């Protein structure tokens, strides 16, 4: 009788062992999850959409797909993609202005029902359009290079001038502590228009008698650090006979951060909203 009991217990143990081995083998047959993207590099400007096709496999099924935006490797927020009813998912992201200041990456993390994971990243190269670059920074005048002599002929009074281009196609100029004897106390700075094909920048001014002047800058370089533009100055020979009636210059400005401390016109708040002329006359700048 005892032998039968021992045999029965042994048989049960053997059956349980076989069941466990079979279960382990079955578990081992599950494949690790996989995730791929139709593109892992994309180039876009702020406001543009970036779309990628996400293909996943998960055995026996997918539990979650989380997309995390990173700036310079630091997480900025996550989105849980659901429901996961297909192995092929189209994901769209709209690029922001702030993305241009960082290395922007989208991390796709797949987790299956066994909590195994797979991940892949999409790197977005954010390119600013010329108008976006112009508006992103303030621009400090640094040099005015006379083409005839290849020398920097900027007058000291203009070395602290800073320009700010606004989203509504108006612009302001901070004259700084150095004020000239005419232009700085006579003109309001009004509107601008940038032709992104020809890179011609037109800037209008209105004088104290209601006269309008349009400055023409043919931009040759515009990036995150500098703005170079060809300009023609007329009438310099009236004040200095060593100049020709029309002189070609390269105007050079450096990019500086936009801050709340920007002060339009002369120092102090009194003229910020009025300017010397007290008005801006509207002119058509579209034909450039």
């Amino acid at each position: 009788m005892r032998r039968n009991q021992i045999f029965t217990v042994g048989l049960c143990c053997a059956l349980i062992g076989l069941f466990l081995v079979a279960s382990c083998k079955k578990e081992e047959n599950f494949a690790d999850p996989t995730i791929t993207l139709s593109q892992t590099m994309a180039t876009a400007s702020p406001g543009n959409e970036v779309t990628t096709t996400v293909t996943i496999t998960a055995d026996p099924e997918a539990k979650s797909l989380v997309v995390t935006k990173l700036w310079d490797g630091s997480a900025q927020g996550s989105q849980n993609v659901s429901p996961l009813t297909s192995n092929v998912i189209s994901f769209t992201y709209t690029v922001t202005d702030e993305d241009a200041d960082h290395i922007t990456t989208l991390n796709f993390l797949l987790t299956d029902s066994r909590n195994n994971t797979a991940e892949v990243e999409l790197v977005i190269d954010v390119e600013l359009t010329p108008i976006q670059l112009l508006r992103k920074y303030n621009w400090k005048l640094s040099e005015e290079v006379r083409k005839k002599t290849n020398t920097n002929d900027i007058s000291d009074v203009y070395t602290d001038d800073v320009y700010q281009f606004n989203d509504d196609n108006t612009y302001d100029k901070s004259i700084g502590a150095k004020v000239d004897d005419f232009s700085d106390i006579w003109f309001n700075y009004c509107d601008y228009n940038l032709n992104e094909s020809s890179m011609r920048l037109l800037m209008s001014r209105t004088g104290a008698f209601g006269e309008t002047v349009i400055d023409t800058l043919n931009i040759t370089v515009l990036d995150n650090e500098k703005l170079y533009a060809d300009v023609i100055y007329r009438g310099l020979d009236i004040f200095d006979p060593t100049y020709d009636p029309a002189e070609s210059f390269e105007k050079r400005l450096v990019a500086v951060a936009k801050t709340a401390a920007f002060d339009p016109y002369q120092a102090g708040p009194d003229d910020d909203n009025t300017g010397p002329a007290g008005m801006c006359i509207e002119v058509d700048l579209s034909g450039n």
Side-chain angles (χ1 to χ4, degrees):
M1 186 65 153
R2 184 172 179 80
R3 284 185 181 180
N4 289 339
Q5 290 177 338
I6 293 174
F7 175 78
T8 301
V9 171
L11 180 60
C12 290
C13 290
L15 290 174
I16 291 172
L18 288 172
F19 176 78
L20 291 174
V21 170
S23 297
C24 290
K25 286 184 177 180
K26 185 177 181 181
E27 181 72 18
E28 290 171 358
N29 288 332
F30 284 134
D32 290 334
T34 65
I35 180 170
T36 59
L37 303 178
S38 59
Q39 59 174 342
T40 55
M41 290 286 299
T43 300
S45 298
N48 292 162
E49 291 184 342
V50 173
T51 299
T52 187
T53 301
V54 187
T55 303
I56 63 174
T57 64
D59 199 358
E61 62 182 359
K63 179 180 177 181
S64 66
L65 175 62
V66 177
V67 183
T68 301
K69 181 170 83 169
L70 302 105
W71 282 346
D72 307 315
S74 178
Q76 301 301 306
S78 298
Q79 175 183 345
N80 199 328
V81 179
S82 63
L84 296 176
T85 57
S86 172
N87 289 337
V88 179
I89 302 142
S90 180
F91 183 84
T92 299
Y93 173 74
T94 302
V95 178
T96 69
D97 291 335
E98 293 78 11
D99 290 337
D101 297 325
H102 308 275
I103 298 173
T104 300
T105 307
L106 300 181
N107 177 274
F108 294 78
L109 177 64
L110 172 66
T111 304
D112 68 12
S113 57
R114 297 174 297 130
N115 289 324
N116 292 332
T117 61
E119 60 184 314
V120 67
E121 291 187 343
L122 168 61
V123 179
I124 303 175
D125 180 17
V126 182
E127 288 187 343
L128 294 177
T129 64
I131 194 69
Q132 288 169 336
L133 273 170
L134 192 67
R135 293 170 175 171
K136 179 177 180 180
Y137 301 101
N138 284 345
W139 300 92
K140 182 178 181 181
L141 185 61
S142 61
E143 296 179 80
E144 290 192 309
V145 179
R146 186 184 181 193
K147 294 290 188 73
K148 187 175 182 178
T149 60
N150 198 33
T151 57
N152 179 20
D153 275 12
I154 192 171
S155 299
D156 179 68
V157 71
Y158 299 126
T159 55
D160 58 353
D161 288 358
V162 178
Y163 294 84
Q164 178 170 280
F165 296 89
N166 306 311
D167 291 345
D168 62 357
N169 285 99
T170 63
Y171 76 100
D172 297 298
K173 175 182 169 182
S174 176
I175 295 166
K178 305 171 185 178
V179 182
D180 73 12
D181 296 330
F182 175 65
S183 182
D184 287 345
I185 59 174
W186 190 259
F187 286 100
N188 270 37
Y189 302 97
C190 300
D191 303 309
Y192 73 93
N193 179 271
L194 174 63
N195 185 316
E196 294 187 280
S197 297
S198 66
M199 293 302 291
R200 176 168 289 179
L201 174 64
L202 300 183
M203 303 164 62
S204 71
R205 294 179 281 149
T206 299
F209 288 161
E211 69 275 28
T212 58
V213 176
I214 298 176
D215 298 317
T216 301
L217 283 70
N218 294 303
I219 296 175
T220 57
V221 178
L222 177 59
D223 57 31
N224 290 307
E225 298 178 349
K226 58 190 175 296
L227 187 161
Y228 292 175
D230 292 333
V231 299
I232 295 177
Y233 292 142
R234 303 181 188 279
L236 296 178
D237 58 314
I238 298 173
F239 306 99
D240 185 342
T242 63
Y243 285 100
D244 296 330
E247 286 275 359
S248 297
F249 278 78
E250 182 178 67
K251 206 175 186 77
R252 297 180 178 179
L253 302 95
V254 295
V256 294
K258 279 190 171 181
T259 69
F262 179 82
D263 183 13
Y265 299 108
Q266 295 190 52
D270 293 343
D271 59 355
D272 289 0
N273 297 319
T274 58
M279 61 180 167
C280 273
I281 294 178
E282 186 175 347
V283 295
D284 183 10
L285 299 178
S286 61
N288 66 332

